[in-house]
Amino acid sequence: MRLGVCLQALYHLSLRDALSAARELGFELIELPVDARSPFLDLDEALGGGWRRIGQEIRDAGLGISALSNHQEGQLLLGPHSSDTDPIHPGSAEEKVRYATDRLSRTAELAQRLEVGVVCGFTGCEDWSRWFPWPLSDGYERMAPGFRERLLPVLDDFARHEVRFAHECHPKQFAYNLETAKLALDLVDGHPALGFNLDPANLVLSGMDPLAFVAELGGRILHVHAKDAELVAPHAARSGLLAHGAWTRPDRGFRFRVAGWGYLDWKRLISALRTAGYDGVLAVEHEDPTMSRLEGLRKAVTHLEPLLLREPADPPWW
Amino acid sequence: MRLGVCLQALYHLSLRDALSAARELGFELIELPVDARSPFLDLDEALGGGWRRIGQEIRDAGLGISALSNHQEGQLLLGPHSSDTDPIHPGSAEEKVRYATDRLSRTAELAQRLEVGVVCGFTGCEDWSRWFPWPLSDGYERMAPGFRERLLPVLDDFARHEVRFAHECHPKQFAYNLETAKLALDLVDGHPALGFNLDPANLVLSGMDPLAFVAELGGRILHVHAKDAELVAPHAARSGLLAHGAWTRPDRGFRFRVAGWGYLDWKRLISALRTAGYDGVLAVEHEDPTMSRLEGLRKAVTHLEPLLLREPADPPWW
Amino acid sequence: MRLGVCLQALYHLSLRDALSAARELGFELIELPVDARSPFLDLDEALGGGWRRIGQEIRDAGLGISALSNHQEGQLLLGPHSSDTDPIHPGSAEEKVRYATDRLSRTAELAQRLEVGVVCGFTGCEDWSRWFPWPLSDGYERMAPGFRERLLPVLDDFARHEVRFAHECHPKQFAYNLETAKLALDLVDGHPALGFNLDPANLVLSGMDPLAFVAELGGRILHVHAKDAELVAPHAARSGLLAHGAWTRPDRGFRFRVAGWGYLDWKRLISALRTAGYDGVLAVEHEDPTMSRLEGLRKAVTHLEPLLLREPADPPWW
Amino acid sequence: MRLGVCLQALYHLSLRDALSAARELGFELIELPVDARSPFLDLDEALGGGWRRIGQEIRDAGLGISALSNHQEGQLLLGPHSSDTDPIHPGSAEEKVRYATDRLSRTAELAQRLEVGVVCGFTGCEDWSRWFPWPLSDGYERMAPGFRERLLPVLDDFARHEVRFAHECHPKQFAYNLETAKLALDLVDGHPALGFNLDPANLVLSGMDPLAFVAELGGRILHVHAKDAELVAPHAARSGLLAHGAWTRPDRGFRFRVAGWGYLDWKRLISALRTAGYDGVLAVEHEDPTMSRLEGLRKAVTHLEPLLLREPADPPWW
Amino acid sequence: MRLGVCLQALYHLSLRDALSAARELGFELIELPVDARSPFLDLDEALGGGWRRIGQEIRDAGLGISALSNHQEGQLLLGPHSSDTDPIHPGSAEEKVRYATDRLSRTAELAQRLEVGVVCGFTGCEDWSRWFPWPLSDGYERMAPGFRERLLPVLDDFARHEVRFAHECHPKQFAYNLETAKLALDLVDGHPALGFNLDPANLVLSGMDPLAFVAELGGRILHVHAKDAELVAPHAARSGLLAHGAWTRPDRGFRFRVAGWGYLDWKRLISALRTAGYDGVLAVEHEDPTMSRLEGLRKAVTHLEPLLLREPADPPWW
Amino acid sequence: MRLGVCLQALYHLSLRDALSAARELGFELIELPVDARSPFLDLDEALGGGWRRIGQEIRDAGLGISALSNHQEGQLLLGPHSSDTDPIHPGSAEEKVRYATDRLSRTAELAQRLEVGVVCGFTGCEDWSRWFPWPLSDGYERMAPGFRERLLPVLDDFARHEVRFAHECHPKQFAYNLETAKLALDLVDGHPALGFNLDPANLVLSGMDPLAFVAELGGRILHVHAKDAELVAPHAARSGLLAHGAWTRPDRGFRFRVAGWGYLDWKRLISALRTAGYDGVLAVEHEDPTMSRLEGLRKAVTHLEPLLLREPADPPWW
């Protein structure tokens, strides 16, 4: 296992400075965001040749790329296609779907150019509140065919680029827990280009046990986000798991944290990943409203670095 | 406190038989559903004079009415106004809102005729998945003005009928936890016609502690549903709190249960209600997929009847 | 085991009515309070011959006496001797001690007359806040000789009357947890007339585990109070275990409850008592601010009656 | 579901009196022990025609038979074949195996005569301490072929008698937890005559979650023992789960209890059985060292009777 | 946030050596005790001019002063005024009160001279055991007027010196939990000179949740003690929370510990302080009977240093 | 306290390299295995004079010896004497006992030569599955005389060599929990040469609380193994505590871990050892199937080194 970082927390820096900061903080790998919001690159420019310069800058900084990420644009595949997603790409549902499909394809192409085997991302969901069967009792099931129809071509495209799509289970996505992740795999007939970016904090927010995910779907985990989640005492008793509103609200009952500052037991998670045969990156994602960009990353490194299992296990000697 | 029953579990019977069954099961009060789906009455017919017969039948059965309920049609006030709610009333958003407003008004009028002070119900929510601020970071806040705009006239109308609206916090409603219940009250300037129908199982599903709700908003609790909630071991570790799909799925990680068969500690809840000054009904709502209609109601009575506090507390004597 | 009741909850009735109510509620035994505050008897009058009438009334009601109780006056043995205890008996420390000693002696004498082997009570404590060694680091230890000096003659007197003193561990008493109960026994050289009235709710308030008390001192348990204790969620997080002020305060974080409505697991407690060889009374003490006098007693009976172990265990047959 | 009783707790009575007691206690079914230790019948005599009388006596008492049981003699199939099992049947290992095979066959034959479809029992285990791989690291695996070799003929024999063998997972048996139960099924190629007698208390003693057993092997549960298990506080911290010695030892950290007096949540267990499609008996097994034979059975009935689900669930109506 | 140290643990050194040790251990700030027991200064001598030298020595050591402390003498404001407090200052109650008032005033004056804005301390309590309303049911309430009467002049005096009084909630003080802290504020009309020195270990001893204190009174927290608390397994089951006697007793069920070695979750506490806007000192107080003076301080630094949040949080960037 | 290491994890190296690795990893002491499986020495050769060279090599590496260990051969004292132990020493029961007695004697002799006061080891158990009293109800008790008979001469022999035998409680040993450890001491009349090697992970596997062991038998703890234990979620619900089969099975519900990666709270354990007066070695034993030999040792050092209490506690200064 190696330590990586999701570069979003360093968006205030130039790519060069961000890479240098990442290296200084002790990371070995980066997850490089390529959606339109990324200040580090323009996807079209990169495909037009810029990828060579980007790859070189990253190598020069002594870093590798664990994955490209494009959560934002993938969201439009399944929606919602209301005005909620206009800031990503305005237009009709069809236009949004087309945009998402196209942008994911370009993301895969760039990954291939950069010799990166994994793209992390979202697929969206027409109306995620349908997990609860009211007022439409079979609303969730009705969305299943759409998932298959929209995702299969994307996965075929990825396979052509020799890249795999690491879907991140998350509220608002069709696959948001272990059950829907398995359903998603079934809906695409276990397509080899589909796997998962395990973000355990998102699974805590769905109320499930990330260790159950690793135990059952470990073989499909392509990438791991090191992000933590906290039920904030004593506010959680009032917010519930499903707190709304601004992340900086002092009485918000749920918040994401840097690894080591939330509910997750990283030793158990790392051990489970090891047992399941995962030997890839732990990419620190920092969305912790209590810490500065750099201090948050530093705290995560302080917590995780001593826990990484870097050597393969030996067979029993006792 | 007295024991009541939500009549939906007896929809397979005629009103007369349902009332007789309720009485035999040991209930003293009924919550009478008046939405279009109710087989027991037609709202227009009732307002046209049928209410006298209905009231008489109920009195003849030795029962009282704790509340009328109209969850279904209230849902259309705020939506969603997509096809998901067409089964309730098809049409444009405006038509759905108008329908909801009108039906709630008639419900209040009937309540007044029947001398029932409380109507339980929903208000809906434009897009409830916005509790999580992605992809629209202030989506939940944007829905607040609409809540005020649509609910204030309804509450004024209720006040004219000397009836109060007992909103039930529930996933898919604007107010679904303690925080949003307080927000709802604030948005209507603490309108005296607004209160709550406490359904503790719904609050468990939001991940919050029903006792916190009682402690803070006890004075606004107008009605109580005795419904229980279960995280179903060992499936909950895989489903999370937010399980999707059919209620009868054997590996569903969450389900509603009859009182006494889930996570709730009814002694603590009843004690908290007593301490908060509530002395009304516990209306058994049976949506338990593991039990028959009658056996479920029987189990709930068996659990709750010995726990009811029927006498006012004495001042300390020790 | 048999079910009894502490008569204080029935102080609003005449003795005759109280006995009749106790019998109707399903109790078999009473704990009879004999301190000056008891409306049921005057200790001097009783010793002057009234005991015959009292005993007869109790027998006539079909009840037995599990113990006499005199917590109030025993308190003055060790104090505090400040004005805090003037309502019990005003005067100097010496006068208060003398009063306590005398009243306890009369209580023992009455017990002998009524053929009751146990007197439940308190001994007081000079300054109970000394459990925490600030500002006087050995304050608790300094009180030990006084315990021995004042209690030994009382115990000898009890022995002469063939009665045992069942001390109730409680905040404000020298012996308030398992450790101090054992210390108390040591200080009187294991005097055979000293035992304990186990009130598990008091032990919960000291923060200890009543089952540990039964496991270690089971052989000295002479009487048991069936009283329960509740950390009242969500207020306990703010009150702590050591809540102050009126028992009826709605946000009080701790309160006593009738058996079955608090934290105690009565099946485990009854099993532990059985295993320790105790086969006496469970005397319901009702100090529950949420229930009326009679409803509280009824709830306790409802909870405890089905749990009583009335037959001796058989040797293993499997 | 119906309530039954394992008759061992009534071995001090004649069969007639035992049946009459069972009926009075509220049971509808009995599990009838047929091993040599049973005072109620002699297997050979029964097969020789006595079965008619026995069946009649049981019917006359208004009872049915949920299963025959022969744990004791089945133990000799796999052992241990040391002197530890001489009280069951002395002799060489071969003789013991032959005895077990023969006695199980007769048990199946008697079941067929009495029209009982299930025989509960054990199979033994050569050396059960081999679950821990020291000093022989593959000791458990080495015993697997023996299980197949000895059990397959027994199962075939049972199938011929149209009876199924309900193996009870238990310490000292080859199958003692969910994993070994599945291994056992695999070793006999999922033989249709093999199922399980779920004794949840035994599973608690193995440290596993009985609900996991029901969730995974529910379809193979043929019979259920209503027996409870207790980690006895505070002794369990010293004994551990694996307490040794006499069941009546007061400081024994583990003991079996009657249903409702241990760790098991019977509502959850009954709900899980219902969800898994089980609709058979809950047969009370009383091995509780704290209660008399009859009081223990009474306590179990008091706890379980109100929890039984007697009607099939209705499809959702809400 | 910065790390500080309460100098009492270094009383065996000269001030110079203590400062030097503090610096070497990694502290940046000191809490300087100024009561008569402090070997580091004489309050009168300091006010007479010595403060310049003291301030210089501290600056020379590269340290700052987070607060002066005078717990001991403040105790005499409210008592107890029995012989228990004679070691602090002998005399009548009036003399003790006068002494406390005078010493607190001088402490405030010295703080002003040293440009330190905070004085930590106690106020005492007439009879703290009155939190439990026996035998005087309103004993605690009776003490409230005295608190106001004695504290208001002290606070006015502090305000004149531009210093705030950081009261430490603690057993034996009038304000010992969240409720009494709020009561204290109310009794002095929210006097701006009154705030709190949060010692979370003391709050654990009162049985409450320190996070609740931070959530509700965070804006009044002027200073923080980094001290931990442990319920010592398995002794706590016997001692209860309220263990008496010597801190070194091996079976004492409760003890204070250095930060990181007790029950407190310092990440959660630091996060709560951050969310509440606190950005001051964490002053390590070492009263851990299991560690030497220096090793204890070292362990606390090892635990806390990596957890300090030194940078302000950034606004959300994700 | 000092940090040591059990050398088995370094069996792939020569003694010289193993010592050098141990030193580099930060250990100060070694536990030296001397059974026939140890590649580091031959017991006979060592006694014939090799001990001088071995001792010198260890001293040269800057290391000390905390104990010799001979678990393997000690196992044969009590068995099992079946073929399960043939790999240790084949032969009849008598031959195995003789071999064990002889090898333990030589081990003690070598310890004396090397000036090591402690030998860690096992004694075995005839049939450990007898902890559960089925089918032989007094099987465990029957083994007690054998323990006394075989161990007493060994202990006398050890005493002659001025060495103590530190028995390690473990499944498959006669003494496997606190109760049997005390029984073992009783059976040898509290022989001064008998003490314990506390391996807390083994006690977790027996289901008991290691802190209870330290509290009661702390004075007999001669040596401590720093080994951790994990109930592996979510598999433990299926395996139970008593998982069988290969340590590397991915769904094994129980496994040993390096210190800090399992269930144990090392701060609490170290504090308990300190309070009980233990000031010896924490010898890291690495049997963690998820980590390589060296990485596992490194992780253990990283966890434990900052927790060691190296200085004696000071008397209270506050």
Side-chain angles (χ1 to χ4, degrees), chain F residues 207-254:
Chain F
M208 64 157 287
D209 179 1
L211 298 175
F213 195 100
V214 178
E216 258 182 75
L217 280 183
R220 287 276 183 166
I221 295 176
L222 308 176
H223 201 264
V224 173
H225 270 183
K227 189 175 70 179
D228 218 327
E230 185 189 13
L231 277 163
V232 187
H235 311 299
R238 303 171 73 256
S239 274
L241 195 57
L242 309 176
H244 74 282
W247 291 106
T248 50
R249 183 154 68 88
D251 58 351
R252 205 178 200 283
F254 179 89

Side-chain angles (χ1 to χ4, degrees), chain D residues 75 84 129-132 134 141 170 172 176-177 179 206 209 216 237-239 241-242 244-245 249, chain F residues 75 84 129-132 134 141 170 172 176-177 179 206 208-209 216 237-239 241-242 245 249:
Chain D
Q75 175 79 31
D84 287 24
S129 68
R130 282 180 185 157
W131 63 261
F132 190 84
W134 162 262
E141 288 75 2
H170 186 285
K172 303 286 188 88
Y176 65 94
N177 64 5
E179 293 182 324
S206 87
D209 178 1
E216 256 182 79
R238 303 170 74 257
S239 274
L241 196 55
L242 310 175
H244 74 283
R249 183 155 67 87
Chain F
Q75 176 78 32
D84 287 23
S129 68
R130 283 182 184 156
W131 63 260
F132 190 84
W134 163 261
E141 287 76 3
H170 185 285
K172 304 285 187 88
Y176 64 96
N177 64 3
E179 293 182 324
S206 87
M208 64 157 287
D209 179 1
E216 258 182 75
R238 303 171 73 256
S239 274
L241 195 57
L242 309 176
R249 183 154 68 88

